[in-house]
Amino acid sequence: MLLTLLRRHLPHYTLQVGIVLVLLLVQSIANLYLPNLNAEIINNGVATGDTAYIVRTGSLMLAVTLVLALVAVATAYMASRVAQGVGRDLRGSLFTRVLSFSAREMDHFGTPSLITRNTNDVQQIQMFLQIGLMLLVSAPIMAIGGVIMALHEDVHLSLLLVVIVPLMAAVVAVLLSQAVPLFRVMQVRLDRVTQVLREQIMGVRVIRAFVRVEPEAERFERANADLTGTALRVNRIFAAAFPMLMGIMNLSTVAVLYFGGRLVDSGDMPIGNLTAFLMYIMQILMAVLMAVGMVIFVPRAEASAERIADVLDTVPAVTDPARPREPTGATGAVTFRDVTFGYPHGDRPVLQDVTFELRPGETMAVIGGTGSGKSTLVKLVTRAFDVSGGVLEVDGLDVREQSRERLWSRLGLVPQQAYLFQGTVADNLRFGRADASEAELWHALEVAQASDFVAAMPGALDAPIDQGGTNVSGGQRQRLAIARALVKRPDIYLFDDCFSALDATTDARLRAALRADTAGAAVLIVAQRVSTILHADRIVVLDEGRIVGLGPHAELMRTCEPYREIVESQLGEAAAA
Amino acid sequence: MMMHGPPMGGRPGAMRRGAGMGPGRMAAMPAERSKDLGATLRQLLARLRPEWPMIATVALLASASVAFNVIGPKIIGNATNVIFDGVIGKQLPAGMTKDQVIALLRARGQGQLADVLTSTNAVPGVGIDFTALTHVLAVAVAVYVLASVLQWLQAYLMAGVAQRTVYRMRQDVESKLARLPLRYFDSHPHGDLLSRVTNDVDNVTTTLQQGMSQLLTSVLTVVGVLAMMLWISPLLAAISLVTIPLSLVVTIVIARRSQPQFVAQWARTGELNGHVEGMHAGHALVQVFGYTDRAVATFGQQNEELYEASFRAQFLSGIIQPAMQLLTNVNYVGVAVVGGYRVATGTMSLGDVQAFIQYSRQFSMPITQIASQMNLLQSGLASAERVFEFLAAGEVTPDEVAAELTEPPGRVQFQDVSFRYERDKPLIADFDLDVRRGETVAIVGPTGAGKTTIVNLLMRFYEIDGGRILLDGVDTRDLARETVRRSFGMVLQDTWLFAGTIRDNIAYGKAGATEDEIVAAARAAHADPFIRALPDGYDAILDEEASNISSGEKQLLTIARAFLADPPILILDEATSNVDTRTEVLIQQAMARLRHGRTSFVIAHRLSTIRNADEIVVMDAGRIVEQGTHAELLARQGFYCDLYASQFAEEVGSEAAVATAS
């Protein structure tokens, strides 16, 4: 998954990655050249007592060292560009992809998880790339370069590598095959511990109310013991692996001296080469160790890559048609024709055979029990979901044949959860129409019964709003959300149970003002309070996904038993008498 | 040689920023610096006390392992000397002594070669002494094998020490959560609390696992290597030591420049996260209001700024490594040149130079490691401090059980109860209430009137400051808190579900509930139809925020949970505020069944509940302002009367309207 993701995003940085590779190659060559020069100092300087040669070659070594440092800095530069660049690209792709999601994908992933994926997970990939480009890539170069140089020093002695390298490879392979899966398990168990703790904090009242402290403690102890057990195993594997690799490395130097001594004695190899050979072996093994050290980053990066790819590979359930059509006229009508909707794997459809038409200038209300599908109606109009059966038309054309942008431009939505964005009051009001004038904003606020409290806020229209709108009360939030939809001046309004936090007086005044302001537009109101919908032109009564009544209040009171039940429950038995 | 030890234990390779947490956790990152380092360190060491014998063993093993590792290069150097002796000796005419050859060479004007010869043990005419070589190398093998075995033992034991310590710390943290008063949870931001018990504990884990073992070996290695270097050649040792202050200066200079970039990087990250959070949380609005393009434009700009900031931060900190390597290499060249010169002049053996080169390489590595360990340690101590702060928070007073309830209680009495959340803000004073078995008390008041305070006191989430609360005549303070809480069943305003199946969430109300009981409870709460409509039905997994079901449905689940618990006294805290009225009718019917013969406290918003209540407690601004029956309170023409008129007027008014209409 990690590789797939990188294969998709690294090609934009082919040049930079290429430069990194070249720079690393130069680095390795310079690194490998140093022992060579050292060997020459011993062979030609030390062994013969030529101090001038020693100083001369020493200066050359110093120069190589300097080049090495400059190249390393350049590598760091390029690697940072690539790692941070890929991160930036991933964030961009994720963000735009999520914006194209429908409600189904949003529900599937959940907002917090999507945010984590765009931030933490991308950071993991960045860190992996940053370190990977500087260490992981240079490890094989150093290892291969070391082998080549060792061969160059002495072919016979290099036969030692035939034993050492596979031995190390075997140790590393065993280590990886053991440790990597354990790392994955550990991550899962760590998440579990965090989750239990989080639930104990968030649910402290419930836990204590139900006297569940002890079962919770047991639940945690299990999670903690699981985590500790896995962490211990991982650490013990590494506790064995590193001394083993070190041991192999140290014993290799012994072997080099043992066999090399014979070669030197027979005059087949100068003694300086022996020292150089030791350095190369050291370098090869260091490279291997470095690569092993990188291993711990892999499972994390892998898991993050998977979570990122999950999002990027998700095709939204709702998409624009290949060839969008324009409706012949912007009539502002919303027509449900035998609409059925169900969630995949759901036992029964949420909506079944729903047929009604909302005409321009008409206010239609929807009432019904929880799970009756009220809010789903609104979500179908906005194409948060698509119908499973039947046809839903806006402006006389199937919504699935229109471009979503076009459809959305026709709609004014006030959702159940009044969400406000971080920014000023004005920013929020202009959300749907950036060029709305201040006078228009104030007008919308008047209608939404929000002008008084906005005027009283420090800065009025420029008053800051916190993320989500948490710095204003629930009722104020709902009124601002209504004003936001009004500023957009759409032909079709969708009010999804958005009057619930208003007191009765405000609710009544707001509805009166709305009626005047939205005259000519088609208005769909989903509500729970009977008083909110009493005066709608027509009322749709939903029960378990089916329309059980459709008509004005007075008519429904006579003909629709479920409707009467609702009214009675709210207004008392007397009402029905 | 010292390697990067196993850097794990907490989150592998973890930065100090935990994963898998909700949004906004960036703000709750563990502190980077600790306030009182010494005190925290002492506390951390105290936590290690049960492990002292083990730690002593580990230290002993580490010292031995490091000693053997440090001696290694010197032995290898000796082996090189044996070979070098043979190489030189072979070139010399046999039958002469070394001194004779040196004299001869000087006479011939080959003074330099003569110098080389003086520092060797070469025997003229004799090649490499393989017996001696084998002997030396056998010692080297023994030393290295021992070093590795000891190192393994040490790391093995250390892993246990670290993990056991962290295990205990986690257990302490968790049991602390259970002993903290509700007041603590209500007065501390949950995000910060969570960060302490997860991120900070993980950070301490990493420090313990990675830091202690490595710090120990690093320090020992530096000492050992330094000793060896000084022993072999004080002059070369001096050259190597010069690079230490140099590397420190380089690190500090670069770190000082990169620090502001890191700050900028995290600031930009925070901004970007804020934008992402807003746009994703308001997803439907962004789409329908045509804000997508503007959202992408803002994101693009912030993303670019983050990219620039993080690039600079990463690049600058990435320079440290090459700079250190440069110094290491300069040192290496210095040793090679000066050492070569000394061998050539006969004042040092080749093997010693070779050993020295190895030592000087070994020297710089633990030093950079110690530097990074110090960073880690500092951050770990800052986290430890936050954890200890949490562990030191005041706990609930232990139960003093002086009484038992012989049967399920039904009568609840408040006698002269007084209570305040903050010392200078008295909320409830001289509150009296007598609720007999089966009666219903309605608690009413405007939003934010503090109606949950009554719940807090009934459940002993908070302790009263004066007076008594009696259950069947027994002071609740004489009962175990568990006994008190078992007597109540409650449905809270903030629905709380945990990650798991729907079934498990309902079963939370009763340990060992059967499938039939669970389904019956769900039916009673009218949650059964929607549960069956979910993919996987009762086995449907609720995710962490339970975002896959609606708020009304969540409420139904918590109601089902209360049904299953079947308690003698009920507390319904706006239980049905998110449930639509039709469902509420059904719930109310079921509730009426459930309430039959049970005492109930209802934080009520519905007229019918209020009118039928045996007693109404009216609250405003946290205080109890009136109490009595509906008729009494109306007659009093006080706060309740006004509240009733304003909140329920329309419903009363529409009663008339509807009556006329029909």
Side-chain angles (χ1 to χ4, degrees):
Chain A
M1 201 48 87
L2 183 60
L3 279 180
T4 325
L5 194 73
L6 293 181
R7 208 174 291 143
R8 203 182 320 175
H9 286 271
L10 272 180
H12 306 296
Y13 298 91
T14 313
L15 180 66
Q16 284 93 328
V17 172
I19 294 176
V20 167
L21 289 180
V22 171
L23 290 173
L24 285 175
L25 197 66
V26 174
Q27 260 193 69
S28 309
I29 292 171
N31 259 326
L32 294 168
Y33 189 42
L34 284 178
N36 195 299
L37 287 174
N38 194 29
E40 281 175 22
I41 288 186
I42 293 171
N43 288 342
N44 307 332
V46 176
T48 58
D50 185 349
T51 47
Y53 183 88
I54 293 174
V55 173
R56 217 165 44 242
T57 316
S59 312
L60 184 58
M61 283 176 83
L62 216 51
V64 172
T65 292
L66 207 62
V67 169
L68 196 59
L70 290 176
V71 172
V73 169
T75 314
Y77 181 90
M78 274 300 160
S80 305
R81 279 268 178 243
V82 174
Q84 303 307 318
V86 168
R88 175 193 58 189
D89 299 350
L90 280 176
R91 283 193 298 266
S93 309
L94 280 170
F95 188 69
T96 43
R97 166 64 62 163
V98 172
L99 285 187
S100 77
F101 277 178
S102 73
R104 184 165 288 167
E105 292 81 46
M106 293 307 284
D107 287 350
H108 170 69
F109 288 111
T111 310
S113 162
L114 285 173
I115 296 167
T116 312
R117 287 171 208 238
N118 197 321
T119 53
N120 279 33
D121 285 326
V122 172
Q123 272 166 28
Q124 289 299 328
I125 301 288
Q126 278 180 322
M127 198 158 75
F128 172 78
L129 270 180
Q130 184 82 39
I131 299 167
L133 279 175
M134 292 175 72
L135 294 182
L136 201 61
V137 175
S138 75
I141 298 181
M142 285 295 280
I144 294 167
V147 171
I148 292 171
M149 292 304 281
L151 280 171
H152 172 75
E153 292 302 325
D154 190 273
V155 180
H156 295 288
L157 203 50
S158 297
L159 283 175
L160 271 178
L161 290 175
V162 176
V163 181
I164 299 166
V165 171
L167 196 62
M168 292 210 77
V171 172
V172 171
V174 171
L175 171 70
L176 294 195
S177 66
Q178 296 290 308
V180 170
L182 277 179
F183 268 126
R184 293 216 180 91
V185 174
M186 198 166 101
Q187 191 61 43
V188 171
R189 300 199 158 160
L190 189 60
D191 289 346
R192 173 76 186 151
V193 164
T194 303
Q195 186 189 46
V196 173
L197 283 173
R198 182 199 304 216
E199 288 178 352
Q200 291 194 359
I201 291 173
M202 303 302 174
V204 62
R205 275 191 161 75
V206 175
I207 290 169
R208 293 191 187 180
F210 284 100
V211 194
R212 296 280 296 203
V213 172
E214 268 167 41
E216 282 294 329
E218 282 161 25
R219 202 157 76 100
F220 181 80
E221 197 182 347
R222 265 198 307 279
N224 192 9
D226 283 350
L227 171 63
T228 305
T230 314
L232 204 55
R233 277 177 65 197
V234 170
N235 281 297
R236 287 191 169 154
I237 287 175
F238 273 85
F242 278 91
M244 245 162 108
L245 291 172
M246 294 293 300
I248 293 175
M249 188 157 109
N250 288 329
L251 292 183
S252 303
T253 61
V254 173
V256 166
L257 284 178
Y258 185 78
F259 295 107
R262 274 150 226 278
L263 288 170
V264 170
D265 191 51
S266 63
D268 291 332
M269 190 169 109
I271 185 164
N273 293 25
L274 197 61
T275 315
F277 200 90
L278 280 178
M279 299 291 294
Y280 290 134
I281 292 243
M282 217 56 115
Q283 230 140 19
I284 295 167
L285 304 186
M286 283 294 290
V288 173
L289 282 181
M290 226 147 60
V292 172
M294 276 295 297
V295 162
I296 57 158
F297 289 100
V298 175
R300 263 179 92 78
E302 178 91 10
S304 288
E306 210 168 300
R307 288 158 54 85
I308 291 170
D310 261 359
V311 176
L312 293 179
D313 292 341
T314 297
V315 180
V318 176
T319 51
D320 276 339
R323 278 202 207 89
R325 286 173 53 198
E326 272 294 306
T328 41
T331 61
V334 178
T335 317
F336 281 76
R337 212 172 284 145
D338 297 324
V339 165
T340 297
F341 174 77
Y343 292 99
H345 318 300
D347 267 4
R348 61 177 180 85
V350 180
L351 289 174
Q352 237 171 326
D353 303 324
V354 171
T355 302
F356 69 87
E357 183 175 16
L358 170 65
R359 293 181 287 263
E362 186 183 33
T363 298
M364 191 173 243
V366 183
I367 197 161
T370 294
S372 66
K374 292 182 314 251
S375 293
T376 311
L377 280 184
V378 171
K379 288 187 173 130
L380 289 178
V381 179
T382 63
R383 284 197 79 198
F385 300 111
D386 269 342
V387 298
S388 319
V391 176
L392 169 56
E393 291 176 354
V394 167
D395 291 333
L397 178 67
D398 191 331
V399 288
R400 285 167 295 183
E401 293 185 35
Q402 313 181 15
S403 84
R404 287 187 296 171
E405 206 166 313
R406 193 257 157 213
L407 171 70
W408 290 333
S409 73
R410 308 277 298 139
L411 309 175
L413 170 70
V414 186
Q416 206 170 7
Q417 306 280 340
Y419 188 89
L420 300 179
F421 296 92
Q422 193 168 22
T424 64
V425 171
D427 289 343
N428 271 285
L429 294 178
R430 290 202 175 102
F431 199 68
R433 195 151 61 87
D435 59 355
S437 71
E438 266 194 33
E440 286 173 299
L441 301 190
W442 281 113
H443 172 74
L445 289 171
E446 299 272 330
V447 174
Q449 307 300 310
S451 55
D452 287 353
F453 77 82
V454 170
M457 287 169 87
L461 283 178
D462 294 325
I465 296 289
D466 289 349
Q467 189 80 270
T470 47
N471 60 335
V472 294
S473 78
Q476 292 175 337
R477 205 149 57 222
Q478 284 192 339
R479 282 177 276 168
L480 286 175
I482 292 167
R484 172 173 61 193
L486 291 171
V487 169
K488 193 184 170 189
R489 300 232 139 271
D491 285 335
I492 301 163
Y493 284 95
L494 306 168
F495 295 103
D496 186 0
D497 192 17
C498 57
F499 306 98
S500 59
L502 305 182
D503 62 72
T505 334
T506 315
D507 186 9
R509 276 210 301 266
L510 196 153
R511 271 180 289 115
L514 262 185
R515 184 170 286 269
D517 201 63
T518 59
V523 179
L524 191 68
I525 299 179
V526 172
Q528 293 187 5
R529 238 192 271 174
V530 173
S531 55
T532 307
I533 59 154
L534 215 54
H535 309 289
D537 296 322
R538 286 190 297 164
I539 299 164
V540 174
V541 186
L542 278 179
D543 187 35
E544 304 205 330
R546 288 174 189 277
I547 295 187
V548 292
L550 174 62
H553 170 75
E555 187 188 315
L556 288 174
M557 283 303 287
R558 275 197 310 276
T559 59
C560 181
E561 176 61 31
Y563 183 73
R564 205 158 48 226
E565 260 179 41
I566 294 173
V567 174
E568 277 169 19
S569 78
Q570 289 188 26
L571 306 183
E573 298 285 333
Chain B
M1 253 196 172
M2 298 322 303
M3 280 306 119
H4 295 281
M8 72 221 42
R11 304 173 182 276
M15 318 251 30
R16 282 176 297 280
R17 308 164 216 297
M21 316 260 303
R25 87 194 133 290
M26 283 303 166
M29 277 184 304
E32 300 282 322
R33 290 275 183 271
S34 145
K35 282 175 242 158
D36 186 353
L37 226 81
T40 312
L41 195 61
R42 272 196 297 281
Q43 266 181 297
L44 196 59
L45 290 177
R47 295 218 136 240
L48 289 168
R49 192 158 301 143
E51 304 286 349
W52 271 136
M54 198 55 97
I55 291 175
T57 316
V58 166
L60 214 68
L61 289 170
S63 311
S65 158
V66 166
F68 283 125
N69 249 329
V70 162
I71 280 173
K74 176 71 184 153
I75 299 173
I76 293 291
N78 287 344
T80 307
N81 280 343
V82 172
I83 295 173
F84 192 52
D85 292 345
V87 170
I88 300 288
K90 213 169 191 179
Q91 295 169 8
L92 305 177
M96 295 171 79
T97 64
K98 196 173 91 177
D99 293 337
Q100 286 173 319
V101 176
I102 291 172
L104 189 69
L105 284 172
R106 289 205 196 287
R108 286 194 194 147
Q110 289 176 301
Q112 280 181 327
L113 198 55
D115 287 345
V116 174
L117 192 54
T118 43
S119 69
T120 69
N121 293 320
V123 181
V126 178
I128 296 173
D129 179 354
F130 281 102
T131 324
L133 184 64
T134 310
H135 187 77
V136 172
L137 288 179
V139 174
V141 167
V143 162
Y144 278 137
V145 167
L146 258 175
S148 275
V149 169
L150 291 173
Q151 196 189 342
W152 170 63
L153 272 177
Q154 180 259 120
Y156 186 92
L157 294 178
M158 194 60 211
V161 169
Q163 292 304 325
R164 277 193 302 272
T165 306
V166 171
Y167 173 85
R168 278 195 296 270
M169 191 186 259
R170 283 207 199 92
Q171 284 303 123
D172 288 353
V173 161
E174 193 268 351
S175 63
K176 180 75 185 185
L177 279 177
R179 289 193 310 272
L180 282 171
L182 253 293
R183 190 183 290 272
Y184 186 90
F185 292 89
D186 290 344
S187 59
H188 289 78
H190 284 180
D192 178 66
L193 195 55
L194 191 60
S195 178
R196 279 175 201 246
V197 299
T198 56
N199 288 10
D200 283 316
V201 171
D202 287 346
N203 204 14
V204 174
T205 312
T206 314
T207 309
L208 281 180
Q209 178 68 52
Q210 203 176 319
M212 292 202 333
S213 151
Q214 273 192 27
L215 201 60
L216 184 66
T217 36
S218 294
V219 170
L220 287 174
T221 306
V222 168
V223 173
V225 167
L226 192 62
M228 290 305 286
M229 285 180 13
L230 283 170
W231 180 44
I232 294 172
S233 165
L235 173 70
L236 291 183
I239 294 176
S240 296
L241 285 177
V242 168
T243 56
I244 294 176
L246 261 179
S247 16
L248 285 180
V249 168
V250 167
T251 313
I252 290 168
V253 166
I254 298 175
R256 197 167 284 164
R257 270 158 210 274
S258 61
Q259 193 56 35
Q261 299 300 334
F262 274 111
V263 172
Q265 181 188 345
W266 290 117
R268 294 287 99 79
T269 305
E271 276 171 29
L272 190 85
N273 284 4
H275 182 64
V276 171
E277 187 182 339
M279 293 302 120
H280 287 359
H283 183 76
L285 293 166
V286 171
Q287 289 188 332
V288 175
F289 282 78
Y291 197 78
T292 311
D293 293 341
R294 277 178 283 166
V296 170
T298 309
F299 180 87
Q301 192 202 330
Q302 291 180 345
N303 196 13
E304 200 60 39
E305 284 171 12
L306 169 58
Y307 163 70
E308 281 303 332
S310 51
F311 161 73
R312 278 195 292 272
Q314 293 301 330
F315 171 55
L316 281 174
S317 61
I319 289 181
I320 295 183
Q321 173 70 17
M324 298 306 267
Q325 210 192 355
L326 174 68
L327 288 173
T328 311
N329 279 336
V330 167
N331 183 28
Y332 165 59
V333 172
V335 171
V337 169
V338 176
Y341 189 80
R342 303 243 314 164
V343 176
T345 51
T347 42
M348 200 172 166
S349 75
L350 180 64
D352 279 352
V353 175
Q354 193 196 42
F356 207 96
I357 288 175
Q358 276 217 38
Y359 285 131
S360 69
R361 295 220 135 189
Q362 277 187 19
F363 192 52
S364 62
M365 199 174 328
I367 284 186
T368 31
Q369 258 183 16
I370 289 171
S372 75
Q373 295 309 318
M374 290 318 281
N375 240 338
L376 185 78
L377 189 71
Q378 220 166 26
S379 145
L381 282 178
S383 280
E385 185 172 38
R386 284 164 52 80
V387 175
F388 293 145
E389 235 170 55
F390 165 77
L391 287 175
E395 300 182 0
V396 289
T397 49
D399 280 331
E400 284 167 28
V401 185
E404 294 285 340
L405 289 174
T406 43
E407 55 189 270
R411 187 177 188 181
V412 183
Q413 289 159 283
F414 284 71
Q415 293 181 345
D416 292 329
V417 168
S418 60
F419 175 73
R420 54 189 69 184
Y421 285 109
E422 289 162 56
R423 200 176 301 160
D424 49 349
K425 277 193 200 157
L427 284 182
I428 293 173
D430 305 328
F431 176 46
D432 284 297
L433 182 68
D434 189 352
V435 193
R436 275 174 281 278
R437 188 178 292 272
E439 285 187 346
T440 296
V441 177
I443 304 163
V444 299
T447 316
K451 285 165 284 184
T452 47
T453 302
I454 302 287
V455 180
N456 282 337
L457 300 184
L458 277 175
M459 301 292 279
R460 277 189 73 190
F461 287 155
Y462 282 76
E463 298 294 338
I464 52 177
D465 298 321
R468 305 194 295 167
I469 298 177
L470 308 175
L471 274 184
D472 275 2
V474 181
D475 192 329
T476 52
R477 277 174 301 192
D478 290 337
L479 294 167
R481 283 184 182 80
E482 293 202 348
T483 313
V484 175
R485 289 170 188 163
R486 268 190 225 281
S487 308
F488 292 93
M490 64 175 202
V491 178
L492 292 166
Q493 194 170 13
D494 45 345
T495 54
W496 179 82
L497 302 170
F498 62 89
T501 63
I502 299 244
R503 177 181 291 108
D504 292 345
N505 267 285
I506 296 176
Y508 204 80
K510 182 181 176 185
T514 66
E515 178 73 17
D516 287 347
E517 286 175 319
I518 291 168
V519 174
R523 287 228 176 89
H526 299 283
D528 187 65
F530 98 78
I531 295 172
R532 290 193 189 274
L534 284 173
D536 304 324
Y538 281 86
D539 291 316
I541 305 271
L542 298 177
D543 61 26
E544 281 192 46
E545 277 76 25
S547 58
N548 41 359
I549 61 171
S550 78
S551 50
E553 291 164 344
K554 279 183 214 172
Q555 195 114 26
L556 289 178
L557 286 184
T558 55
I559 293 170
R561 189 187 276 169
F563 266 107
L564 188 60
D566 191 23
I569 307 172
L570 286 174
I571 299 176
L572 308 173
D573 180 1
E574 292 185 337
T576 54
S577 66
N578 276 324
V579 179
D580 62 280
T581 46
R582 186 166 145 67
T583 311
E584 194 188 336
V585 175
L586 303 169
I587 289 172
Q588 277 173 348
Q589 288 166 355
M591 284 288 185
R593 260 203 323 275
L594 185 70
R595 289 210 316 239
H596 183 74
R598 284 180 231 254
T599 316
S600 312
F601 291 81
V602 184
I603 296 175
H605 263 306
R606 311 276 171 207
L607 200 51
S608 50
T609 322
I610 298 170
R611 273 201 301 232
N612 298 330
D614 297 290
E615 181 89 357
I616 300 170
V617 176
V618 188
M619 299 195 69
D620 184 40
R623 301 154 179 268
I624 292 166
V625 288
E626 286 176 16
Q627 65 184 101
T629 63
H630 180 65
E632 284 168 17
L633 290 169
L634 276 187
R636 196 176 293 172
Q637 294 283 314
F639 185 84
Y640 177 77
C641 195
D642 290 344
L643 182 79
Y644 182 76
S646 73
Q647 270 197 346
F648 308 107
E650 169 151 331
E651 287 186 26
V652 178
S654 4
E655 275 174 50
V658 172
T660 334
S662 45

